[in-house]
Amino acid sequence: MTLTHEPLSGTDAGVAPAIRLDGVTKNFGAVRAVRGLDLTIGQGEVVAFLGPNGAGKTSTIDMVLGLSRPTTGEVSVLGQDPRTAIVRGLVAAVMQTGGLLKDLTVRETVEYTASLFSSSEPVTDVLVRAGIAGIAERRVGKCSGGEQQRLRFAMALLPDPALLLLDEPTTGMDVEGRRAFWSAIRSDAARGRTVLFATHYLDEADAYADRIILISRGEVVADGSAAAVKAMAAGRTVRATVPRLSDEDVRTLSALPGVDAVEVRGESLLVHSSDTDTVARHLLTQTRAHDLEIVARGLEDAFLALTGEPGPRIETQNGADQRPARPSPHARHPASAGSIPPC
């Protein structure tokens, strides 16, 4: 099937938000996955869409991609029905898995994808922008996980979409690869492209998103800049080195006024509290604490405070955690961000 790529009209491009959800709900039988979402994402924004497993992220993204329809409410993409926007080549998605033929080369894969569009960006250009021009003749099956993610990114750039959705886009990339990838994303956003991404790497959301939308139990619990979301986690964290900290010491710390969580990692101690002065005095007078400091709470702390879940984890193929969540007595169960199903 050949998809056409029509430019937006001046009215659409100038006025319509990239994504708009009005009173959107999504039910699966008795399960309420999404509960009355009202969201507007403007064109040119880079937005992190975060939440624990089962929060409703995947269901919401499915509706934005036109893969499912809301039970109630309205979803529009660039001023039109999501399926219409996708057929017009205005929306592209970079999924975490699937969609690649291992026997083709990187260039052949991009060329084949380009042939599905009546109009597309030059293949060489997207290979360069995705940072994979140097491996263009390599077979996909010989590419690393990070290189395959870059290939998916190149494929998504072909129709020059106005809206780009990314599911765990940097999984498998090294630190330098992640930095280069986000540099390319920011460059695209500066030209007006809207980017909505889900990630297990909360540091990426903190560093690269203009805006963070945090969802829990089908509802938005925070929406704003990284600084604004972090400020919603009241209190600060006391860090200290405490040799020979006993279980009784931990229980006593946990019972102090304002303490949200106590984490022990060998001799390293973290105490999250709205009354850090009391915690610090207790540590200095009742334990062998030294190297004590009080620091502002980060995005992981906000994630925990606002959702009741620890930060998301990355599951490797052998089931091990690539980036383990921080333990917390408030966590009901380990969480990992839901992935967007391939379309």
Side-chain angles (χ1 to χ4, degrees):
M1 177 177 68
T2 300
L3 304 179
T4 59
H5 179 194
E6 305 172 23
L8 283 171
S9 68
T11 300
D12 289 337
V15 176
I19 299 173
R20 182 164 185 159
L21 288 79
D22 293 315
V24 170
T25 67
K26 184 65 179 179
N27 300 336
F28 297 94
V31 177
R32 298 178 63 196
V34 179
R35 308 182 181 207
L37 283 189
D38 292 302
L39 280 178
T40 299
I41 296 176
Q43 295 188 39
E45 286 191 90
V46 178
V47 180
F49 195 46
L50 307 178
N53 191 40
K57 300 186 308 299
T58 298
S59 297
T60 302
I61 295 297
D62 281 353
M63 291 185 283
V64 172
L65 288 172
L67 298 175
S68 68
R69 295 190 178 278
T71 303
T72 61
E74 298 292 332
V75 179
S76 64
V77 176
L78 296 158
Q80 53 203 285
D81 178 80
R83 288 181 180 271
T84 302
I86 288 169
V87 168
R88 293 176 66 184
L90 299 172
V91 182
V94 178
M95 301 305 179
Q96 190 175 359
T97 59
L100 299 177
L101 300 175
K102 306 300 184 183
D103 291 334
L104 296 182
T105 66
V106 168
R107 181 181 296 277
E108 288 169 343
T109 301
V110 178
E111 288 175 342
Y112 174 74
T113 305
S115 71
L116 301 176
F117 298 94
S118 59
S119 175
S120 73
E121 296 289 283
V123 168
T124 299
D125 287 357
V126 299
L127 290 173
V128 171
R129 286 166 61 193
I132 53 174
I135 61 169
E137 306 311 318
R138 184 180 301 173
R139 293 196 181 279
V140 172
K142 299 294 185 181
C143 294
S144 68
E147 290 167 342
Q148 290 186 16
Q149 280 297 84
R150 285 177 173 274
L151 173 55
R152 294 185 181 96
F153 178 48
M155 294 161 65
L157 291 176
L158 284 168
D160 192 22
L163 172 63
L164 185 59
L165 293 100
L166 310 173
D167 174 35
E168 305 297 340
T170 59
T171 298
M173 294 185 191
D174 58 23
V175 173
E176 189 58 40
R178 289 169 61 194
R179 187 177 298 115
F181 175 86
W182 284 110
S183 176
I185 290 294
R186 295 298 313 187
S187 177
D188 274 356
R191 296 199 297 268
R193 195 188 318 280
T194 307
V195 178
L196 178 67
F197 70 95
T199 182
H200 285 88
Y201 294 107
L202 294 185
D203 60 315
E204 289 188 340
D206 196 352
Y208 300 111
D210 300 320
R211 174 180 172 192
I212 292 173
I213 297 173
L214 183 56
I215 186 172
S216 179
R217 301 175 185 86
E219 300 176 321
V220 173
V221 295
D223 183 354
S225 66
V229 172
K230 286 186 283 188
M232 296 177 72
R236 300 167 74 83
T237 297
V238 179
R239 293 177 179 169
T241 300
V242 187
R244 298 187 294 280
L245 192 69
S246 68
D247 291 342
E248 181 60 31
D249 289 330
V250 174
R251 284 192 290 270
T252 300
L253 281 168
S254 299
L256 290 176
V259 171
D260 297 325
V262 177
E263 302 178 32
V264 180
R265 305 172 184 174
E267 293 188 351
S268 297
L269 174 71
L270 297 177
V271 182
H272 309 297
S273 175
S274 59
D275 186 357
T276 51
D277 288 343
T278 296
V279 172
R281 282 197 300 270
H282 177 87
L283 288 172
L284 291 172
T285 60
Q286 304 299 319
T287 72
R288 299 173 180 271
H290 59 91
D291 297 330
L292 186 147
E293 62 176 340
I294 299 175
V295 297
R297 302 178 80 171
L299 190 56
E300 288 189 9
D301 300 305
F303 194 105
L304 170 62
L306 296 170
T307 70
E309 304 277 1
R313 300 186 304 176
I314 293 176
E315 298 287 341
T316 59
Q317 289 186 346
N318 62 10
D321 289 334
Q322 185 174 338
R323 187 172 187 268
R326 302 193 321 181
S328 165
H330 297 284
R332 292 186 298 277
H333 55 78
S336 59
S339 59
I340 305 168
C343 60

